[in-house]
Amino acid sequence: MVELKERVGFIGTGIMGAPMALRLKEAGYAVTAYNRTESKLVALVEQGVEVTVDLATAVRHQEVLVLMLADDAALTALVESRGGVLAHVQPGTVVINMSTIAPLSSRRLASAFAAKEVSYLDAPVSGSAGAAKSGQLVALVGGDKAVFERVRPLLSAMTKEQFYFGEAGSGNDAKLVINLQLALTMQAIAESLVLAESLGLQRGQVLDMMQSSSLSSAFFGIKRSLLETEDFTPAFALKHMRKDLSLVLDAARPNGAVLPNALTSFGTYTAAVQNGLGEEDLSAVVVELLRQSGYTGENRRRDDAEGE
Ligand code: NAP
C-alpha cells in the first residue's frame, strides 16, 4: 500500500527554503510552495513542485505549513498582517517555523496559532545551503513533544538529525547559541587572514596551513574556497548573521549573560552591512576587516606589484 503523506504549504523559497521544499516533494509530500518574489519559484516549477503566488492558496487545506522566512519582519508581514497566514490557516494544521527569529517572537506566534487551534513548532536549522540540498541540516525543535513526534518523519526528509529542546521558542534559543559560535568562528578566521595579509603572507598558503591544523573544521572546509577566490556568492547572507547577532544580544541582555565578543562582532557585521556587504556570504566579513585595516583593493594590488 502506498503511504499517504501530508499536504504541505511551504512559505519562503529563498536560499534555504527552495532546496528544503524540493526535498519534501522528492520524499513524496504534496508540496505547494509560496514566495513573495515570483522569480524564486521558477526553478522549483522546473523541478515539478507546485507553486503559487497567492498566500491563501498555499495556506488553506494543508495539513502542515512550513515557514522559512528571513526574520521577524518577514514573519510579521506574512503571518500576522491582514490577510496573512493567521487569517487563512485552518484548525488542526501543524505550523513548523524553521526561520531564525527571536525566541520571544516564536513564543508569541505559538500563542497566536494556539488561539486558532493550530499547533506550532519552532524548528530552525543548523547548516547552510549545501546541507539543505543534501538533507544534512540539523533541526532544533521547540513546542509540543507529541506534535514533534508526529511530524518527525517530515522533518527527517529535510534534516539528518532533530534535537528537541522543550517548549515553543526553545528551538530558537538553541539556534542563537549555535549561531553565536558561528559568527565568532567566522570572525576569528577573518581576523587571522587580516593579520596574515598585514604580515605579507600568501593567502593560499595560510589557508592550507589552517586546513591542516587541528583548528580546521567542516565549516572551514566549506568557506575556504570563498576566502581563496573572494567570490562571496551567498550560502548564508552576511545580513542574516548580523540579524542573528542582534537576536543573541537581545536574548542575553535580560538574563545577564556577558558576551563581550558577541558585542564586538555585532559591530563588525553591522559595519559590513553598512558598507554594502549584506547580500554577500558571511565570509565577506574579511573584506570589511581588510577595509578597516586599510587594505583596500588598491593597496593590495600595490603590495602584489612590490612582491613581483
Ligand atoms: P533568504 O535567501 O534571504 O530568503 C528569505 C526568505 O524570506 C525569502 O523567501 C524572502 O522572500 C522572504 N522574505 C524576506 N522578507 C520578507 C518580507 N518582508 N515579506 C515576505 N517575505 C519576506 O534567506 P535564507 O538564507 O533562505 O534563510 C532563511 C532563514 O533561515 C533565515 O532566518 C536565516 O537566518 C535562516 N538560516 C539560513 C541559513 C543559510 O545558510 N542561508 C542557515 C540556517 C538558517 P523574497 O524572495 O520575496 O525576498
Side-chain angles (χ1 to χ4, degrees):
M1 203 172 84
V2 179
E3 190 193 347
L4 281 179
K5 294 192 173 173
E6 289 98 333
R7 290 185 305 278
V8 181
F10 199 107
I11 315 295
T13 60
I15 289 177
M16 297 294 283
M20 291 163 72
L22 182 60
R23 284 197 69 84
L24 285 180
K25 190 251 171 194
E26 287 174 343
Y29 291 91
V31 177
T32 304
Y34 164 91
N35 198 59
R36 175 184 63 171
T37 305
E38 194 171 0
S39 59
K40 291 189 195 165
L41 292 166
V42 174
L44 284 175
V45 173
E46 286 164 2
Q47 289 159 314
V49 179
E50 194 170 310
V51 304
T52 180
V53 286
D54 178 41
L55 186 61
T57 303
V59 172
R60 283 193 200 126
H61 313 302
Q62 309 292 0
E63 288 153 284
V64 177
L65 274 185
V66 178
L67 310 177
M68 193 48 170
L69 296 164
D71 51 19
D72 283 53
L75 264 296
T76 302
L78 281 191
V79 176
E80 295 173 289
S81 66
R82 243 172 102 97
V85 171
L86 275 167
H88 300 297
V89 70
Q90 285 164 358
T93 309
V94 176
V95 170
I96 310 177
N97 184 7
M98 304 187 81
S99 327
T100 306
I101 59 167
L104 276 178
S105 306
S106 213
R107 293 182 175 109
R108 190 186 70 239
L109 285 170
S111 301
F113 280 115
K116 297 262 172 184
E117 295 172 50
V118 168
S119 303
Y120 174 92
L121 298 175
D122 49 324
V125 290
S126 177
S128 198
K133 286 192 189 93
S134 59
Q136 294 301 299
L137 296 169
V138 175
L140 317 173
V141 184
D144 187 296
K145 191 151 192 209
V147 175
F148 163 56
E149 293 299 350
R150 212 167 86 217
V151 297
R152 200 164 187 173
L154 183 148
L155 285 170
S156 300
M158 296 182 282
T159 61
K160 66 171 179 182
E161 220 171 328
Q162 305 85 35
F163 287 94
Y164 177 76
F165 283 93
E167 62 177 21
S170 60
N172 282 114
D173 285 333
K175 176 63 179 162
L176 297 186
V177 171
I178 195 72
N179 269 26
L180 172 58
Q181 187 182 354
L182 179 67
L184 299 185
T185 301
M186 189 66 250
Q187 178 140 359
I189 295 168
E191 288 193 21
S192 290
L193 291 177
V194 172
L195 176 64
E197 185 117 357
S198 75
L199 298 174
L201 299 176
Q202 274 197 350
R203 171 85 59 101
Q205 210 178 2
V206 168
L207 289 168
D208 284 344
M209 172 187 75
M210 289 175 160
Q211 192 140 24
S212 294
S213 87
S214 61
L215 294 170
S216 188
S217 61
F219 176 70
F220 181 81
I222 291 167
K223 295 303 173 196
R224 189 206 150 119
S225 69
L226 285 77
L227 294 164
E228 192 148 31
T229 59
E230 300 206 340
D231 172 359
F232 295 110
T233 304
F236 181 26
L238 193 149
K239 66 179 179 186
H240 291 327
M241 189 78 265
R242 178 197 175 273
K243 175 254 306 180
D244 292 351
L245 280 168
S246 163
L247 297 179
V248 163
L249 294 170
D250 286 347
R253 207 170 290 121
N255 303 312
V258 177
L259 307 174
N261 288 312
L263 197 57
T264 310
S265 196
F266 176 64
T268 309
Y269 284 93
T270 299
V273 169
Q274 284 165 349
N275 287 307
L277 296 168
E279 302 298 332
E280 306 282 356
D281 189 74
L282 84 155
S283 48
V285 74
V286 70
V287 176
E288 172 58 25
L289 290 170
L290 285 167
R291 188 196 64 76
Q292 290 184 19
S293 308
Y295 290 91
T296 61
E298 197 186 316
N299 285 340
R300 295 172 75 191
R301 271 198 298 280
R302 200 178 314 125
D303 286 347
D304 289 344
E306 280 168 5
E308 280 166 8

